[in-house]
Tab-separated table of all heavy atoms in Angstrom:
chain	number	residue	atom	x	y	z
A	281	MET	N	109.191	-91.900	44.056
A	281	MET	CA	109.533	-92.574	42.762
A	281	MET	C	110.624	-93.630	42.919
A	281	MET	O	110.520	-94.817	42.425
A	281	MET	CB	109.910	-91.538	41.700
A	281	MET	CG	110.153	-92.144	40.366
A	281	MET	SD	110.614	-90.833	39.128
A	281	MET	CE	109.067	-89.842	39.165
A	282	VAL	N	111.713	-93.288	43.605
A	282	VAL	CA	112.808	-94.178	43.829
A	282	VAL	C	112.320	-95.346	44.756
A	282	VAL	O	112.728	-96.577	44.447
A	282	VAL	CB	113.970	-93.426	44.458
A	282	VAL	CG1	115.095	-94.437	44.767
A	282	VAL	CG2	114.461	-92.349	43.508
A	287	ALA	N	110.876	-101.125	45.222
A	287	ALA	CA	109.888	-102.049	45.574
A	287	ALA	C	109.617	-103.009	44.393
A	287	ALA	O	109.549	-104.241	44.537
A	287	ALA	CB	108.570	-101.448	45.983
A	288	LEU	N	109.593	-102.338	43.210
A	288	LEU	CA	109.513	-103.295	41.950
A	288	LEU	C	110.734	-104.152	41.828
A	288	LEU	O	110.528	-105.291	41.444
A	288	LEU	CB	109.325	-102.308	40.692
A	288	LEU	CG	108.026	-101.656	40.585
A	288	LEU	CD1	108.021	-100.678	39.359
A	288	LEU	CD2	106.881	-102.718	40.255
A	295	LEU	N	110.909	-112.924	42.164
A	295	LEU	CA	110.318	-113.809	41.140
A	295	LEU	C	111.444	-114.408	40.234
A	295	LEU	O	111.396	-115.537	39.846
A	295	LEU	CB	109.300	-112.967	40.211
A	295	LEU	CG	108.036	-112.501	40.985
A	295	LEU	CD1	107.180	-111.645	40.103
A	295	LEU	CD2	107.195	-113.690	41.411
A	310	MET	N	122.256	-116.007	39.234
A	310	MET	CA	121.220	-115.329	39.958
A	310	MET	C	121.659	-113.844	40.333
A	310	MET	O	120.841	-112.982	40.256
A	310	MET	CB	120.997	-116.118	41.187
A	310	MET	CG	120.307	-117.496	41.009
A	310	MET	SD	119.947	-118.327	42.515
A	310	MET	CE	119.276	-119.906	41.991
A	330	VAL	N	117.137	-98.061	25.009
A	330	VAL	CA	118.337	-98.889	25.473
A	330	VAL	C	117.883	-100.043	26.361
A	330	VAL	O	118.282	-101.195	26.135
A	330	VAL	CB	119.355	-98.096	26.044
A	330	VAL	CG1	120.570	-98.959	26.459
A	330	VAL	CG2	119.902	-97.070	24.960
A	389	GLY	N	119.783	-127.682	17.687
A	389	GLY	CA	119.227	-127.806	16.315
A	389	GLY	C	117.854	-127.554	16.123
A	389	GLY	O	117.163	-128.230	15.260
A	391	PRO	N	116.120	-124.197	15.427
A	391	PRO	CA	116.086	-122.765	15.264
A	391	PRO	C	114.659	-122.254	14.930
A	391	PRO	O	114.215	-121.261	15.524
A	391	PRO	CB	117.045	-122.524	14.133
A	391	PRO	CG	117.022	-123.715	13.388
A	391	PRO	CD	116.893	-124.896	14.426
A	401	ILE	N	106.513	-115.194	22.859
A	401	ILE	CA	106.920	-114.697	24.345
A	401	ILE	C	107.021	-113.218	24.231
A	401	ILE	O	106.602	-112.411	25.076
A	401	ILE	CB	108.089	-115.394	24.803
A	401	ILE	CG1	107.719	-116.886	25.176
A	401	ILE	CG2	108.542	-114.727	26.191
A	401	ILE	CD1	106.694	-117.117	26.154
A	425	ALA	N	93.775	-82.591	27.217
A	425	ALA	CA	93.601	-81.508	26.202
A	425	ALA	C	92.109	-81.061	26.034
A	425	ALA	O	91.766	-79.897	25.980
A	425	ALA	CB	94.093	-82.027	24.844
A	428	GLU	N	91.248	-79.018	29.109
A	428	GLU	CA	91.822	-77.675	28.928
A	428	GLU	C	90.991	-76.912	27.952
A	428	GLU	O	90.777	-75.616	28.167
A	428	GLU	CB	93.261	-77.638	28.492
A	428	GLU	CG	94.224	-78.186	29.507
A	428	GLU	CD	95.600	-78.380	29.029
A	428	GLU	OE1	95.874	-78.047	27.794
A	428	GLU	OE2	96.569	-78.718	29.808
A	433	LEU	N	86.780	-72.718	26.924
A	433	LEU	CA	85.459	-72.353	26.423
A	433	LEU	C	84.540	-71.744	27.550
A	433	LEU	O	83.817	-70.794	27.245
A	433	LEU	CB	84.774	-73.561	25.734
A	433	LEU	CG	85.370	-74.058	24.417
A	433	LEU	CD1	84.710	-75.320	23.946
A	433	LEU	CD2	85.321	-73.070	23.330
A	435	ARG	N	85.625	-70.209	30.100
A	435	ARG	CA	86.080	-68.831	30.518
A	435	ARG	C	85.662	-67.836	29.373
A	435	ARG	O	85.245	-66.737	29.682
A	435	ARG	CB	87.664	-68.833	30.550
A	435	ARG	CG	88.165	-69.664	31.810
A	435	ARG	CD	89.614	-69.267	31.883
A	435	ARG	NE	90.495	-69.763	30.813
A	435	ARG	CZ	91.061	-70.948	30.768
A	435	ARG	NH1	90.843	-71.867	31.883
A	435	ARG	NH2	91.778	-71.390	29.789
A	439	MET	N	83.262	-64.643	29.911
A	439	MET	CA	83.633	-63.267	29.453
A	439	MET	C	82.546	-62.662	28.498
A	439	MET	O	82.225	-61.531	28.602
A	439	MET	CB	84.977	-63.383	28.665
A	439	MET	CG	86.217	-63.710	29.554
A	439	MET	SD	87.727	-63.906	28.614
A	439	MET	CE	87.840	-62.253	27.938
A	479	ALA	N	52.766	-14.328	43.606
A	479	ALA	CA	51.293	-14.550	43.670
A	479	ALA	C	50.933	-15.632	44.643
A	479	ALA	O	49.805	-15.838	45.055
A	479	ALA	CB	50.688	-14.773	42.311
A	480	LEU	N	51.853	-16.528	45.045
A	480	LEU	CA	51.621	-17.613	45.902
A	480	LEU	C	51.790	-17.148	47.373
A	480	LEU	O	52.456	-16.192	47.759
A	480	LEU	CB	52.810	-18.701	45.613
A	480	LEU	CG	52.855	-19.304	44.256
A	480	LEU	CD1	53.981	-20.371	44.154
A	480	LEU	CD2	51.457	-19.988	43.901
A	486	GLU	N	56.030	-22.713	50.448
A	486	GLU	CA	56.720	-23.826	51.188
A	486	GLU	C	56.454	-25.202	50.500
A	486	GLU	O	57.406	-25.982	50.368
A	486	GLU	CB	56.142	-23.809	52.611
A	486	GLU	CG	56.849	-24.807	53.440
A	486	GLU	CD	56.405	-24.812	54.990
A	486	GLU	OE1	55.582	-23.840	55.255
A	486	GLU	OE2	56.769	-25.562	55.728
A	502	LEU	N	69.232	-40.496	41.112
A	502	LEU	CA	69.407	-41.025	39.776
A	502	LEU	C	70.964	-41.070	39.330
A	502	LEU	O	71.280	-42.125	38.740
A	502	LEU	CB	68.640	-40.116	38.807
A	502	LEU	CG	68.733	-40.494	37.386
A	502	LEU	CD1	68.269	-41.900	37.043
A	502	LEU	CD2	67.993	-39.476	36.428
A	503	ARG	N	71.622	-40.034	39.709
A	503	ARG	CA	73.044	-40.050	39.329
A	503	ARG	C	73.758	-41.164	40.088
A	503	ARG	O	74.695	-41.887	39.425
A	503	ARG	CB	73.677	-38.742	39.761
A	503	ARG	CG	75.106	-38.593	39.380
A	503	ARG	CD	75.580	-37.156	39.658
A	503	ARG	NE	75.442	-36.939	41.123
A	503	ARG	CZ	75.409	-35.651	41.550
A	503	ARG	NH1	75.650	-34.597	40.895
A	503	ARG	NH2	75.221	-35.540	42.879
A	541	SER	N	54.763	-13.419	31.029
A	541	SER	CA	54.434	-12.846	29.689
A	541	SER	C	53.962	-13.845	28.690
A	541	SER	O	53.168	-13.560	27.812
A	541	SER	CB	55.837	-12.347	29.180
A	541	SER	OG	56.793	-13.383	29.129
A	544	GLY	N	50.253	-14.497	29.707
A	544	GLY	CA	49.431	-13.256	29.717
A	544	GLY	C	49.060	-13.100	28.265
A	544	GLY	O	48.023	-12.560	27.920
Side-chain angles (χ1 to χ4, degrees):
M281 185 179 296
V282 177
L288 285 175
L295 293 175
M310 292 182 181
V330 175
I401 293 298
E428 293 177 357
L433 290 176
R435 290 193 297 268
M439 292 176 59
L480 298 178
E486 182 179 355
L502 174 63
R503 183 176 57 197
S541 63

